[in-house]
Amino acid sequence: MNLNNPMAFSADELLNLAIMTKIPVVIVEGVDDVPVYERISGSSGIMCDIYASENLCRVREGCEGVIKNICDIRAISDDIVVENHIIGILDRDARFYRNEMPADPAIFTLNYYSIESHYVNECSIRYLVSQFTKATSRLVTNSLVKEIYDSIVTRLEFLHYVSLEALLNACDRDYKAAFGYSDTIKSIVGRGLVPALEEKRVELDEFANRLGLTKSMETLLKICKGKWIVEIFSDHLLELIKELPDHCAASKIPQCQSCATGNSESKKCMYKYTSFFSADILKMQSFTNTNVISLNYIKERLLILQKTAA
């Protein structure tokens, strides 16, 4: 162990610790991922230690850090089945489309681009509307949630070609891209780079066809950088939540009892947001929701890990 960094376990120390304590280890790409995965595992009663790759034996963040740590652990494991005690979780990023994902059973690849992508759905909308308004489950109906979701999905459509541009840039070194995954989505939009993609549609469509990528929300969650899509999703959800009191007063959505009785004071509408909030607050709050259906397969893998480590 590195005395200057007591968290920097060597590969053999980390494996031995997981075996002796019977508490499995999960290695994730970054520090920001740690609390998210701790909530996911904790909500299912799964006991495991979550470490950011940069805080372990290979002091390196991201997918490379996870892969290097798993490789080092595998190298000293002898006949020990590593994946019974330790797994590394990788984002489904450009590496996946370059066929560079390691064929190691101790590596678990997400279904979507990153963990943030798993919170762009109807489950999050229902959760966040209930969190930031006084609207009860009677008001936050399936039809209302779907209406909000469909509206947001329409506004996310521009990200399809934005994501294909970034993905092609990541897969083809000779491609002259306008931007890449390292850019922020606000920078891409702010520099007026999205309209210019219209001229590249044929080339980007051909690239998508080669990868078997159709234009759908499912595809978008796989190829759009998680930080991009959750940011735009939160921006639009903020706008739509703020519009709910006016829609309630006009009977465009299930009316709350205040508006139904003719009380025109919007501050008494049950859809009125209860406190100050922003798109960033919405985004961070969405990550506290452990009941998102899209997380179930991750919980199932962690449960298997806990059982094999016992």
Side-chain angles (χ1 to χ4, degrees):
M1 182 180 291
N2 184 339
L3 296 179
N4 294 323
N5 181 4
M7 286 285 288
F9 297 104
S10 64
D12 59 335
E13 286 172 333
L14 192 63
L15 182 57
N16 288 336
L17 182 65
I19 293 171
M20 288 188 297
T21 62
K22 296 185 178 181
I23 298 176
V25 168
V26 178
I27 304 173
V28 296
E29 293 196 13
V31 173
D32 291 344
D33 294 334
V34 174
V36 178
Y37 282 102
E38 285 185 347
R39 283 191 290 266
I40 292 171
S41 59
S43 68
S44 300
I46 300 169
M47 182 176 292
C48 57
D49 288 330
I50 315 289
Y51 292 112
S53 62
E54 63 200 82
N55 291 327
L56 293 175
C57 41
R58 284 295 187 122
V59 187
R60 187 170 184 176
E61 63 182 347
C63 59
E64 287 294 335
V66 173
I67 293 170
K68 293 295 185 183
N69 274 294
I70 292 296
C71 285
D72 283 2
I73 294 166
R74 179 72 70 188
I76 56 86
S77 64
D78 295 326
D79 295 327
I80 298 171
V81 182
V82 173
E83 60 271 19
N84 284 355
H85 306 278
I86 299 176
I87 63 168
I89 299 181
L90 291 185
D91 291 346
R92 186 189 178 102
D93 55 18
R95 177 183 293 273
F96 179 89
Y97 297 97
R98 294 196 300 260
N99 295 316
E100 295 176 357
M101 302 303 289
D104 189 316
I107 295 290
F108 178 67
T109 305
L110 295 177
N111 287 349
Y112 297 142
Y113 188 97
S114 68
I115 192 61
E116 293 95 336
S117 311
H118 293 70
Y119 296 89
V120 177
N121 48 47
E122 293 183 28
C123 290
S124 288
I125 292 171
R126 184 183 304 279
Y127 178 75
L128 292 170
V129 171
S130 298
Q131 286 282 309
F132 289 96
T133 72
K134 296 188 288 291
T136 62
S137 58
R138 186 185 70 81
L139 297 176
V140 188
T141 61
N142 291 340
S143 59
L144 174 60
V145 170
K146 187 178 187 306
E147 182 180 341
I148 294 172
Y149 177 73
D150 289 345
S151 178
I152 294 176
V153 166
T154 300
R155 303 183 196 193
L156 293 175
E157 288 179 353
F158 81 97
L159 288 173
H160 177 73
Y161 286 105
V162 169
S163 301
L164 286 175
E165 174 78 354
L167 182 58
L168 182 51
N169 178 58
C171 292
D172 185 350
R173 293 181 179 179
D174 296 325
Y175 180 66
K176 303 300 181 183
F179 51 82
Y181 281 124
S182 61
D183 292 277
T184 67
I185 189 60
K186 293 295 174 66
S187 170
I188 293 168
V189 173
R191 285 183 287 157
L193 300 178
V194 177
L197 296 180
E198 189 66 32
E199 299 176 2
K200 295 185 171 185
R201 279 205 174 200
V202 173
E203 185 175 9
L204 293 175
D205 283 338
E206 290 175 350
F207 171 63
N209 289 335
R210 291 198 298 272
L211 294 178
L213 298 172
T214 59
K215 190 174 183 180
S216 65
M217 190 61 187
E218 184 71 11
T219 293
L220 191 58
L221 291 171
K222 293 177 179 178
I223 66 173
C224 185
K225 186 174 182 178
K227 287 182 172 58
W228 289 357
I229 194 168
V230 77
E231 184 172 352
I232 301 300
F233 176 82
S234 300
D235 284 346
H236 292 312
L237 181 56
L238 175 68
E239 295 175 11
L240 294 172
I241 289 178
K242 288 185 174 181
E243 292 173 359
L244 290 177
D246 288 339
H247 292 326
C248 182
S251 299
K252 293 180 179 179
I253 58 176
Q255 266 196 323
C256 74
Q257 56 184 265
S258 294
C259 293
T261 56
N263 192 330
S264 60
E265 293 185 51
S266 61
K267 66 180 181 181
K268 292 188 177 181
C269 177
M270 295 179 72
Y271 288 105
K272 177 69 176 177
Y273 44 96
T274 55
S275 60
F276 170 80
F277 70 120
S278 63
D280 191 53
I281 291 174
L282 278 178
K283 177 181 66 177
M284 298 310 297
Q285 187 66 23
S286 70
F287 299 152
T288 67
N289 183 10
T290 56
N291 293 319
V292 181
I293 295 173
S294 56
L295 299 175
N296 286 349
Y297 77 101
I298 300 174
K299 295 178 182 179
E300 290 169 4
R301 181 63 185 92
L302 296 179
L303 184 59
I304 291 172
L305 180 63
Q306 179 177 252
K307 289 179 178 178
T308 56

